[in-house]
Every structure is written in C-alpha cells, then in structure tokens.
Amino acid sequence: MIKNIQVLRAVAALLVVFDHWAALYGGLLQRIGATGAVGVDIFFVISGFVMIHATAGLPVSPGRFAASRIIRIVPLYWTFTIGLFLGASIAPGIFRSTTTDLEPLLKSLLFVPYPANPPNVAQRGAVSPVLFTGWTLNYEMFFYAIFSLSLFLRNVFLQRVTVLAALCFLVLVGITFQPAGFVAKFYTASLLLEFGYGIVLGMFAERWIRLVPNRGVGWLVVIVGFSSLLAITSYFPASSRGYVLGPFALFTVFGVVVLERQGVVVRSRLWLLLGAASYAVYLVHLLSTVLVVKALSRLPKGPETVALCGAATLIVAASVGVAIHLWYERPLGRWLHARLPARINRGLGQSAGPVVTRFSAK
C-alpha cells in the first residue's frame, strides 16, 4: 500500500468539504474556500495513477476490470442518489433544490451528464446530477470505460498509449471544434488530461524517482505542487483547468510517492482510514454540511462561530463517511465481489481500494 496516496485521498476529500462549506457563506470565505476545489484535480490524477498499478502484472480482462470499477463506484453512488430522490419526493419542503423528475434520476444513475435547470453558477460547469457531487463520477466512469476497452489489446504499453491517445484526442476535438452539445462539450473538456497525467506517472514513476536525490527535494516537489494548486485555482476558467491545475496536481501526487520511497511515510491509522473512506466522505458531505450549518445557525454570529462551524463540518463529514465506509460500503463491496463468477473475480479482486504497488516504502 502506498500510504501517502491514501492520506492524500483523505486530504483531497476534506478540501472539497471545505470548498462546499465555505460556499454556503459567500463573500470572502467562499473565495477562500474555493481553493478546496483542487481536491477534484488531485483525485483525477490519483485515479489515473491507481489504474496503472491496479492492473500492473495482472492478467486483467476488460470484464474483470469493469466489474471491479462498477462495484467500487456504483453501489454507494446509487444508494445516495436514490435516497436523495426519495427524500425529495417524500419531503419536498426539506429537499427543495432536488428534482423529483424521473429523467434526471435516470441520467444520474447512468452517468449521463446534463445541465442544471435552471443553471446554478455555484455548480461548476452547470452539471447537475441528482447528487451534485456525482458530476465528477461522470468523468471517472468515462475514463474507466476507455481504460477497460484498452485492455482488449494484448500489449501493456500499447494499452497505456491508447488510453493517453484517446484522452488527448478528445481534448483536441474540444479545442478544435468547440462542440455546442452539452454531452460532447463535457466529454472533450481539459479535465480529461488529469487522468492522463496519472497514467504517465504510473508508467514512469520508477524512473522519475531516481532523479530526486533526497527528501528535501521530495518535500520541495510536494510543497511547490500543492501550494501552487491552492494559489492559482481561482484565477483560471474551468475550461483550462486540465492544462493549468492538472500539472501541479501531478507534482503533488508524484511528490508524496517520492517521499514514501524515501522513508517519509504517514502511518496514522486515522488518516489511512480517512483515505480508505474518502469516496464515502466525498459523496455524503453535502448533506452533513448542510445539517451542521443549520444546527449551529442559532449561535451568535462572529468569526468564532464560523470557525466552530467549519471544524464541526469537517469532523462530522469525516465521521459519517468513515461510518458508512466501515458498515456499508466495504461489506457491500465484499459481498458483491464474492458473487462475481470465479473467472471474473480472480486476480483483480478489490484492488481498487488501497494502492498496492512496487513503490511501497522499504
């Protein structure tokens, strides 16, 4: 397991929580909190990196890979999406911003992006699944579909190059033709490049690690990458996100991998658990954030109250996410894997969780 990658997942999830919590206040706090959106860029680079190592040295068939990805992503997302939809149907006064139309529900469950109606500028890209955070999963599942198809090729290097070529081609189509259709525009966005950065890192990390002479340089890579992400995220339009933020997200991910190889490893069980539960934290945090903010809304106004609310939001989101991971997500994943046909379940298993690679610290 690359422990530092697990911890970085936790950090990325908490950054997104901070972003959405701050957005509820508006003004300066919202502008500061918007830096937390870089958690998504980090997630995408990690996804590309993990896919290389989840399949490295294994005879992974497209069906096996697809089954693993579906079990990892779909059950929890469908649970929250359907639960939110039912909640809005039963108590529309509480879930006023959630649609109860069947078409948006079906598109959300099938990972088909569609625009917010009416458009909400707070929703980046105006993509609005029933569960808002699901907009990133549309990209994730699209990437997994491309990666799965590449596995029909026998040569591993050709598989990787094909995925990279497909991602670059789609972004080039977006630049050249600027498609007007919503779905076409969504799936030719520069964000796709961030998965490619992760793939490149997975392919060449061993060689790149040799170029880093010591821990000091490793720390410098992490600090430069992460601080640059936070510093520049608000100054570039979403259309250029993959070009500008993606490379610094790559620096950050590469830096934590380098540090692990050099013996700087985060071994905290709490942070590793948060990393394992980061997907659940990401999906559930909007509801927990709203509940915390409303519960504390009657406290006297002031910076102390805002700070208390922020801390409570992060703690509650993390706690609820961990509970869901331990008592629902993980047992359900194991149960579903156990029921896959043996020919599909062999080999890849549940490698989509903690990252197991040759880069583990020695």
Side-chain angles (χ1 to χ4, degrees):
M1 175 194 297
I2 300 184
K3 294 181 172 64
N4 288 357
I5 289 289
Q6 284 293 85
V7 173
L8 188 58
R9 280 172 160 162
V11 172
L14 293 178
L15 282 170
V16 175
V17 175
F18 177 66
D19 175 20
H20 291 152
W21 165 76
L24 296 176
Y25 289 87
L28 177 61
L29 187 57
Q30 181 177 5
R31 291 193 293 274
I32 295 173
T35 59
V38 302
V40 170
D41 304 279
I42 293 172
F43 271 133
F44 284 178
V45 174
I46 289 176
S47 289
F49 177 73
V50 168
M51 289 308 98
I52 296 300
H53 294 284
T55 58
L58 295 173
V60 182
S61 69
R64 184 185 303 166
F65 176 82
S68 176
R69 294 293 81 206
I70 289 170
I71 289 175
R72 170 64 172 165
I73 298 296
V74 171
L76 197 60
Y77 177 59
W78 279 16
T79 297
F80 286 131
T81 296
I82 294 172
L84 184 58
F85 181 84
L86 293 176
S89 301
I90 296 170
I94 298 177
F95 302 93
R96 288 175 291 181
S97 61
T98 302
T99 180
T100 55
D101 295 336
L102 284 178
E103 182 180 352
L105 174 64
L106 292 175
K107 287 183 175 180
S108 297
L109 296 178
L110 296 176
F111 301 97
V112 178
Y114 62 90
N117 187 23
N120 183 347
V121 294
Q123 298 175 342
R124 289 175 178 79
V127 183
S128 182
V130 171
L131 182 65
F132 167 56
T133 49
W135 74 270
T136 63
L137 301 184
N138 292 337
Y139 281 118
E140 291 276 0
M141 294 300 282
F142 185 62
F143 167 62
Y144 296 152
I146 295 173
F147 198 97
S148 181
L149 290 174
S150 77
L151 296 177
F152 281 105
L153 301 171
R154 293 184 178 275
N155 183 279
V156 174
F157 181 76
L158 187 58
Q159 291 170 3
R160 309 322 191 212
V161 171
T162 299
V163 175
L164 289 173
L167 296 173
C168 291
F169 172 76
L170 288 167
V171 174
L172 184 61
V173 168
I175 295 172
T176 305
F177 299 102
Q178 298 184 354
F182 187 83
V183 174
K185 185 176 181 179
F186 185 83
Y187 286 128
T188 56
S190 67
L191 271 171
L192 291 174
L193 294 175
E194 296 182 342
F195 296 106
Y197 299 149
I199 288 177
V200 172
L201 176 59
M203 294 172 65
F204 299 105
E206 182 67 26
R207 297 178 185 178
W208 293 352
I209 286 173
R210 298 193 191 107
L211 301 177
V212 181
N214 52 54
R215 295 179 181 181
V217 177
W219 276 112
L220 181 63
V221 172
V222 174
I223 292 170
V224 169
F226 190 65
S227 62
S228 298
L229 273 175
L230 297 179
I232 69 177
T233 183
S234 301
Y235 296 98
F236 294 92
S239 60
S240 62
R241 190 168 178 173
Y243 315 126
V244 180
L245 299 183
F248 290 111
L250 171 61
F251 265 57
T252 305
V253 177
F254 174 58
V256 301
V257 173
V258 168
L259 288 177
E260 179 135 344
R261 167 56 71 87
Q262 295 175 338
V264 182
V265 186
V266 180
R267 303 183 187 275
S268 165
R269 292 184 178 181
L270 174 59
W271 278 104
L272 291 173
L273 178 58
L274 281 174
S278 58
Y279 180 48
V281 172
Y282 177 75
L283 288 183
V284 78
H285 79 272
L286 284 178
L287 178 59
S288 62
T289 297
V290 171
L291 291 177
V292 170
V293 171
K294 286 187 175 181
L296 300 180
S297 61
R298 294 187 178 182
L299 292 178
K301 306 298 182 183
E304 297 84 1
T305 301
V306 173
L308 173 64
C309 185
T313 296
L314 292 173
I315 292 171
V316 170
S319 301
V320 172
V322 166
I324 291 171
H325 170 71
L326 291 176
W327 297 325
Y328 181 71
E329 179 188 14
R330 191 163 66 178
L332 179 59
R334 289 173 174 170
W335 185 85
L336 291 172
H337 269 286
R339 278 149 184 80
L340 287 175
R343 62 183 177 82
I344 294 179
N345 201 31
R346 283 195 302 269
L348 187 59
Q350 298 187 64
S351 59
V355 187
V356 180
T357 82
R358 61 183 178 276
F359 297 114
S360 296
K362 297 180 179 179

